[in-house]
Amino acid sequence: MSASVLDMSMSLDGYIADPNDFLGGDDGERLHKWADPEGETGTLSEPAAQFQDEWKKAGAVLAGRRTAELMDHWGGDHGGLPIFVPSHRPPGPAARWGYPLVTYVTYVTDGIESAMAQAKAAAGDKDVQVRGAYTAQRALEAGVLDEVQIHQIPVLLGAGRRLFDVLPSEIELEIIRVIDTPEATHIRYRVRR
């Protein structure tokens, strides 16, 4: 059975991006350094390879409009996965590459529940990757987010965009996996209903 899984890298103080929408550090990528290839061989660490395999096994992506637009809709193709974007307004034109949005990107204007249902239908028995803080918050609020996977990075950004800035109420989580590495602590939770 498919699950909807929010998968995000986050600083210890709860930020997923700095005030300029970069991921921290001098090169703007601090929060994703844990997933970089290691050493001269350019191979992934075992945990990074495991997570990459999980991401590749997903069947669809549900991404917030802001996230999708910041990423320029991943060029219209998120690893061949269909992308569903909950939004109250239709999409704007592709900013950089001029790809046809209709190929892989579907804007859903009738709510987060509908967007998640469409993403899960497209994913079949595979997971739905959830991208974006606001969308994750709304999915939690609507009861359609099944799991949360946080890659907690040992850095304090001090300012920026928080992952869980506004929630409607207390939400209980159950820890289902912890992988500790020098670069990050990877914690996967199931949302209790």
Side-chain angles (χ1 to χ4, degrees):
M1 185 168 143
S2 79
S4 55
V5 182
L6 172 69
D7 190 300
M8 299 284 285
S9 294
M10 181 174 72
S11 68
L12 182 60
D13 51 350
Y15 293 102
I16 58 170
D18 70 16
N20 298 313
D21 282 318
F22 291 103
L23 302 174
D26 292 337
D27 64 356
E29 291 291 327
R30 174 64 180 97
L31 295 179
H32 286 175
K33 288 284 186 205
W34 69 269
D36 283 347
E38 295 181 332
E40 294 176 17
T41 62
T43 60
L44 292 173
S45 69
E46 185 176 327
Q50 176 183 339
F51 294 121
Q52 195 169 77
D53 287 345
E54 288 177 12
W55 300 328
K56 288 178 182 177
K57 290 178 184 172
V61 174
L62 179 87
R65 183 183 185 117
R66 185 170 189 286
T67 299
E69 288 180 351
L70 280 170
M71 298 304 298
D72 205 17
H73 301 87
W74 295 275
D77 179 10
H78 197 295
L81 302 179
I83 303 166
F84 295 85
V85 181
S87 180
H88 297 294
R89 55 193 166 88
R96 290 185 225 162
W97 299 295
Y99 55 84
L101 276 176
V102 294
T103 304
Y104 290 105
V105 181
T106 302
Y107 272 64
V108 181
T109 59
D110 57 344
I112 189 76
E113 295 92 342
S114 176
M116 184 65 78
Q118 290 179 50
K120 282 193 170 187
D125 61 351
K126 297 179 178 182
D127 288 347
V128 173
Q129 296 176 8
V130 178
R131 302 280 185 255
Y134 179 82
T135 297
Q137 292 168 28
R138 300 298 67 80
L140 280 167
E141 181 178 39
V144 296
L145 185 64
D146 301 315
E147 296 181 5
V148 175
Q149 182 158 264
I150 300 297
H151 309 284
Q152 189 149 26
I153 312 306
V155 66
L156 299 168
L157 292 183
R161 296 200 171 272
R162 290 190 183 275
L163 180 53
F164 298 115
D165 213 13
V166 179
L167 294 173
S169 62
E170 183 175 299
I171 296 169
E172 292 288 334
L173 306 172
E174 172 188 353
I175 297 172
I176 56 177
R177 179 175 72 191
V178 177
I179 301 172
D180 194 24
T181 69
E183 298 82 22
T185 300
H186 311 275
I187 310 169
R188 190 162 180 149
Y189 304 89
R190 182 174 295 118
V191 178
R192 290 188 178 169
R193 305 222 196 283

